[in-house]
Amino acid sequence: MEGKRSCLSISIPSDLLRRIRELTLSILTNLSNGQSPVVQIDRFRNYCTETSGNCYCNCGISVGKELLTLQRECHTRRLDVLLRVLLVVQTLLQQNRHGSKRDIYYMHPTVFKEQSVVDRAINDICILLQCSRHNLNVVSVGNGMVMGWLKFSEAGRKFDCINNPNTAYPVPVHVEDVENIIGVARYILVVEKESVFQRLANDSFCTRNRCIVVTGRGYPDVPTRRFLRLLIEKLHLPAYCLVDCDPYGIDILTTYRFGSMQMAYDAKFLCVPEIRWLGVFPSEVEKYCLPQQCLLPLTREDKTRVEAMLLRCYLRREAPQWRFELDLLLARGLKCEIEALSVQSLSFLSEEYLPSKIQGGVYI
């Protein structure tokens, strides 16, 4: 049994149910014949640390296979979890219902033990069935928010952000049901965290700058990334990203642009290659005269994270300026938050920093 990622996701429930039947029938046939079933799961990655440049991480092809058999105890447990989750997915598809990853976890908490076990099984199932997670009717609990010059509808419900462009609306969980997107904005701004999003809302940033602002409130969930991708595809607007000047902020930035390793099999449907880094850059900390109290030393964990990020092939290949900034962050050994810019004034971020950088083309 082999799972190969095709270039297009299958989205018809009947096709998925057929594949589920074929997979389970193959396992049952092997067991009834006294044979150990072997499940082959393709593996994908969105980056590597190959320094020669001979990598294929951006091609959406499998970089190897993982074979699960009953001959290894750890594989037996993984197959047990996979089949339990697959049964839930089959029920969701048959009944045309949706469930969250958390819902699935609580169906067998003593078996699963932790959420990450369910997450891994869902990713394995997507690879085996050649589909995306939403095709399984498994949804994430949405954390993202959006505001600005935008209208859209989701499953018949209308969202008119334009009517009050500085009011936050939740990012749709069922992004595949979003339609009738209308935008009269000049650009899309993605901000790392909710506190900055609220600062911009309080300062009526969207009204003054005729834009759309999105936040994933930290590491973005799948609906936020899919919704952002959809907006850019439909509205053809430039997109900028504002993150903290620290390893976690820059890692969040790379998640938006290049995708995550955990969902590398679906990177082409989730990443936003058009997004540009707006700040805060390590190279501009001195320019804005941030006092020493606003700067924090990098921890050992921070340094390890930066060193690992510097090895990622996509930064060498597609974003050398990002690598320069990471090198500088590591060399100076200091980090800061976006909010540190408020040392200039409470409205400095919304009235001076962001408009001047966007209008002046100061992004990478």
Side-chain angles (χ1 to χ4, degrees):
M1 290 155 288
E2 187 173 351
K4 295 182 179 179
R5 185 67 169 163
S6 61
C7 59
L8 294 175
S9 289
I10 294 173
S11 58
I12 302 174
S14 59
D15 287 335
L16 294 176
L17 288 169
R18 175 180 55 80
R19 287 178 177 263
I20 291 173
R21 286 193 298 270
E22 291 173 352
L23 175 62
T24 53
L25 180 60
S26 178
I27 292 174
L28 288 172
T29 300
N30 285 335
L31 290 173
S32 63
N33 292 333
Q35 300 172 340
S36 174
V38 178
V39 177
Q40 297 185 35
I41 303 177
D42 284 283
R43 283 298 163 221
F44 300 82
R45 66 188 182 199
N46 66 331
Y47 68 84
C48 68
T49 57
E50 173 62 57
T51 57
S52 67
N54 297 322
C55 70
Y56 302 93
C57 301
N58 62 335
C59 298
I61 62 174
S62 170
V63 295
K65 300 181 187 298
E66 189 172 11
L67 274 61
L68 304 184
T69 74
L70 296 181
Q71 297 172 354
R72 297 183 60 184
E73 184 177 346
C74 61
H75 286 182
T76 300
R77 169 165 163 71
R78 277 188 63 187
L79 285 170
D80 177 32
V81 172
L82 189 150
L83 291 173
R84 288 174 186 267
V85 175
L86 194 61
L87 179 60
V88 177
V89 168
Q90 177 179 261
T91 302
L92 291 174
L93 292 171
Q94 289 172 335
Q95 298 179 358
N96 193 26
R97 297 171 62 190
H98 291 80
S100 71
K101 297 186 300 179
R102 204 62 178 161
D103 290 332
I104 296 174
Y105 167 76
Y106 279 115
M107 294 181 75
H108 304 286
T110 57
V111 175
F112 298 145
K113 296 189 177 177
E114 54 187 26
Q115 182 66 55
S116 61
V117 172
V118 175
D119 297 349
R120 184 178 190 178
I122 292 170
N123 289 336
D124 287 343
I125 291 169
C126 286
I127 294 170
L128 286 167
L129 301 184
Q130 304 176 32
C131 68
S132 297
R133 185 191 296 171
H134 68 274
N135 298 134
L136 304 179
N137 286 2
V138 176
V139 297
S140 300
V141 177
N143 290 319
M145 298 187 297
V146 61
M147 63 180 176
W149 296 77
L150 174 71
K151 291 182 179 180
F152 62 91
S153 59
E154 178 199 13
R157 295 184 302 162
K158 295 182 178 180
F159 296 84
D160 186 357
C161 307
I162 297 175
N163 191 46
N164 193 341
N166 301 296
T167 296
Y169 290 83
V171 164
V173 173
H174 304 296
V175 180
E176 63 277 6
D177 292 333
V178 173
E179 56 185 3
N180 302 321
I181 299 175
I182 299 174
V184 288
R186 290 193 283 260
Y187 60 85
I188 299 171
L189 174 63
V190 181
V191 297
E192 174 187 344
K193 49 194 182 180
E194 184 178 5
S195 59
V196 174
F197 183 91
Q198 294 297 343
R199 175 77 265 152
L200 298 180
N202 292 339
D203 291 347
S204 300
F205 182 80
C206 289
T207 298
R208 295 178 179 182
N209 295 276
R210 203 175 186 85
C211 65
I212 297 166
V213 179
V214 175
T215 182
R217 298 202 280 186
Y219 280 94
D221 53 33
V222 171
T224 300
R225 291 160 61 191
R226 291 182 61 224
F227 184 64
L228 177 62
R229 173 74 181 259
L230 181 64
L231 291 183
I232 292 174
E233 287 178 348
K234 296 296 184 181
L235 301 178
H236 306 289
L237 294 173
Y240 310 104
C241 190
L242 177 70
V243 296
D244 283 339
C245 181
D246 66 16
Y248 288 92
I250 300 172
D251 198 26
I252 287 169
L253 169 72
T254 65
T255 300
Y256 278 112
R257 179 165 175 180
F258 299 105
S260 64
M261 184 64 86
Q262 184 183 20
M263 298 190 68
Y265 65 88
D266 225 17
K268 65 172 66 177
F269 302 106
L270 294 173
C271 65
V272 184
E274 300 87 352
I275 204 165
R276 295 295 175 260
W277 186 9
L278 195 61
V280 176
F281 303 145
S283 61
E284 64 185 4
V285 169
E286 293 180 356
K287 173 183 176 181
Y288 292 102
C289 304
L290 298 181
Q292 197 64 34
Q293 294 88 335
C294 295
L295 305 176
L296 299 172
L298 293 180
T299 65
R300 181 177 300 178
E301 182 183 352
D302 288 334
K303 294 176 182 178
T304 300
R305 182 175 290 268
V306 173
E307 290 167 352
M309 290 173 65
L310 284 168
L311 296 175
R312 297 179 186 178
C313 62
Y314 56 54
L315 291 183
R316 291 195 305 270
R317 185 177 60 241
E318 300 179 47
Q321 288 179 287
W322 292 16
R323 289 191 83 248
F324 170 79
E325 294 292 342
L326 275 169
D327 270 323
L328 194 58
L329 180 69
L330 189 60
R332 292 181 174 175
L334 296 171
K335 61 183 179 180
C336 69
E337 295 184 285
I338 299 167
E339 292 90 337
L341 295 170
S342 297
V343 73
Q344 309 286 340
S345 72
L346 192 59
S347 59
F348 178 77
L349 176 68
S350 62
E351 294 183 2
E352 297 185 49
Y353 181 84
L354 291 174
S356 66
K357 297 201 78 173
I358 292 172
Q359 293 167 14
V362 187
Y363 46 81
I364 54 179

